[in-house]
Amino acid sequence: MDKLTVKIMSSSCKMGDITDQGVSLVEDLYKRRQPLPSMDAIYFMQPTKQNIDIFMSNMSGKRPLYKKAYIFFSSPIQKEWVAHIRKDSSVLARVGALSEMNLEYFAIDSQGFVTDHDKALEELFTENAEGSMNYNSCINTMATRIATVFASMKEFPRVHYRVARTIDASTLTTLRDLVPTKLAASVWNCLARYKSIIPEFPQTETCELLIVDRSIDQIAPVIHEWTYDAMCHDLLSMDGNKYVQEVPNTSGSGTEKKEVLLEDHDPIWFELRDVHVADANLRLHEKMRDFISKNKAAQLHQARTNGELSTKELQKMVQALPQYTD
């Protein structure tokens, strides 16, 4: 995999999920790799010239790295690159499959994804955006990645977008005003192509896609959201869905850092993430009471403290008992 497809896979599954499917080794396309001429290889990569050149050098000549190569591209490949692969007969004979996976988005959870454009604000909305190559590149890449979501789900959306509105007839419409319009057109072009090349892709609209820009809600960026998920990302130093907390070490003499993944498989997070923080607090306290009523260690601790456990006391007790950490 290349850097981008590693990120795609990391957002969707764990290493154990991959090895469970019979994959014995996961490697970086850009690093030097040990030849394994008796084994087949799966390439999951972006359809770029650099990636294809690396693949060709891996599989050409008398000593290829692998026995057979099964190539899966994260988004549509240009015809010229397919022709480039076909030209080399030694490589072509070793290709077991070549397919467009149309999988170039990053899942946040079961309900959300991002296209991973950290510089979108700068590339689309600054004064320098006018006439910039980065502007068109950003729009096209975002559109391609959004379209791959619909390709994955075999959905053909009716595309709605916010039309640029000028204050009066004398005011010029800028490229910044046209972001939703241009993005909608680019997404539609990708989807129109899918209709003819993806088997069983719907020929009529099956859902709605609504494209808006930040101007539709100018208040949200300057206030704190009050739901649990939003507040965690807003107020804690999180890296994606990863939160690092300090907990007492096993010896009790100090603390150690522990990584926690706030994802769908965590039942507490799954239940509370979209709840207002006040409701989340109440529910959490109820869960702690329930925990005490069913847990012998908690009951013993409560008896020693002659009264109710506070949230902090319960937290300390749980941290002291590794078997109850989850």
Side-chain angles (χ1 to χ4, degrees):
M1 294 186 281
D2 59 34
K3 284 182 182 177
L4 187 100
T5 50
V6 162
K7 224 171 166 183
I8 293 167
M9 291 297 284
S10 299
S11 71
S12 307
C13 61
K14 293 181 171 55
M15 189 66 189
D17 299 324
I18 298 172
T19 54
D20 285 348
Q21 298 300 318
V23 176
S24 55
L25 191 62
V26 176
E27 295 201 283
D28 186 332
L29 183 69
Y30 287 83
K31 289 183 179 173
R32 198 168 176 177
R33 283 161 277 134
Q34 178 189 346
L36 298 166
S38 63
M39 295 190 77
D40 293 339
I42 295 169
Y43 283 77
F44 178 38
M45 59 189 182
Q46 284 185 286
T48 65
K49 181 182 184 301
Q50 191 177 7
N51 285 353
I52 291 164
D53 285 345
I54 292 171
F55 163 73
M56 297 290 283
S57 68
N58 289 171
M59 298 304 294
S60 61
K62 293 181 179 179
R63 294 184 178 179
L65 284 187
Y66 311 107
K67 183 180 173 185
K68 280 263 184 190
Y70 295 80
I71 316 159
F72 298 91
F73 291 112
S74 57
S75 57
I77 181 174
Q78 294 178 26
K79 288 180 181 177
E80 64 193 81
W81 299 128
V82 177
H84 181 54
I85 295 169
R86 280 180 173 167
K87 271 183 191 173
D88 192 322
S89 56
S90 65
V91 172
L92 192 60
R94 295 167 185 147
V95 173
L98 192 150
S99 178
E100 293 173 347
M101 279 291 286
N102 294 310
L103 189 66
E104 202 169 290
Y105 55 91
F106 308 86
I108 299 170
D109 53 42
S110 58
Q111 298 293 314
F113 71 93
V114 292
T115 59
D116 194 41
H117 279 85
D118 292 341
K119 292 187 176 178
L121 191 66
E122 175 188 330
E123 292 175 355
L124 300 179
F125 293 102
T126 58
E127 293 292 334
N128 300 328
E130 300 285 343
S132 163
M133 284 178 62
N134 289 340
Y135 179 93
N136 289 326
S137 174
C138 186
I139 290 278
N140 291 335
T141 307
M142 279 199 292
T144 299
R145 292 179 182 175
I146 291 167
T148 66
V149 176
F150 293 100
S152 298
M153 299 191 296
K154 296 273 177 74
E155 295 278 2
F156 181 35
R158 181 179 288 105
V159 182
H160 302 269
Y161 59 92
R162 183 174 170 129
V163 178
R165 286 202 178 96
T166 53
I167 298 166
D168 55 58
S170 63
T171 310
L172 289 173
T173 303
T174 66
L175 277 177
R176 284 172 285 174
D177 301 321
L178 292 170
V179 168
T181 306
K182 285 182 172 288
L183 185 58
S186 195
V187 169
W188 182 259
N189 288 339
C190 295
L191 293 167
R193 183 175 177 271
Y194 289 155
K195 282 175 71 176
S196 59
I197 63 167
I198 296 180
E200 298 176 23
F201 193 77
Q203 297 301 298
T204 56
E205 290 92 342
T206 58
C207 62
E208 310 286 331
L209 170 62
L210 177 62
I211 298 176
V212 296
D213 63 18
R214 173 46 67 200
S215 64
I216 201 163
D217 180 2
Q218 296 174 22
I219 303 300
V222 295
I223 64 167
H224 287 308
E225 296 284 352
W226 288 96
T227 57
Y228 185 39
D229 186 349
M231 290 192 81
C232 285
H233 284 89
D234 209 5
L235 303 172
L236 302 178
S237 298
M238 288 178 64
D239 178 13
N241 287 344
K242 184 169 70 180
Y243 172 59
V244 180
Q245 63 175 350
E246 286 196 358
V247 296
N249 59 24
T250 48
S251 64
S253 58
T255 60
E256 60 184 13
K257 289 187 176 179
K258 184 186 174 187
E259 288 186 0
V260 180
L261 286 175
L262 300 177
E263 294 178 336
D264 286 3
H265 60 74
D266 179 338
I268 304 290
W269 174 255
F270 186 73
E271 180 188 338
L272 299 180
R273 68 183 185 191
D274 296 322
V275 173
H276 190 285
V277 70
D279 294 331
N281 231 352
L282 288 171
R283 287 198 206 177
L284 199 57
H285 202 71
E286 285 168 11
K287 284 181 179 293
M288 287 178 172
R289 286 176 183 276
D290 189 49
F291 176 83
I292 294 165
S293 68
K294 294 177 181 176
N295 187 280
K296 288 183 180 178
Q299 288 166 7
L300 287 168
H301 189 94
Q302 187 180 21
R304 284 205 303 272
T305 55
N306 296 320
E308 282 197 19
L309 282 172
S310 71
T311 303
K312 280 191 175 179
E313 284 170 339
L314 183 67
Q315 187 183 14
K316 282 179 184 175
M317 186 207 73
V318 171
Q319 286 170 347
L321 299 166
Q323 65 267 42
Y324 298 121
T325 299
D326 284 349

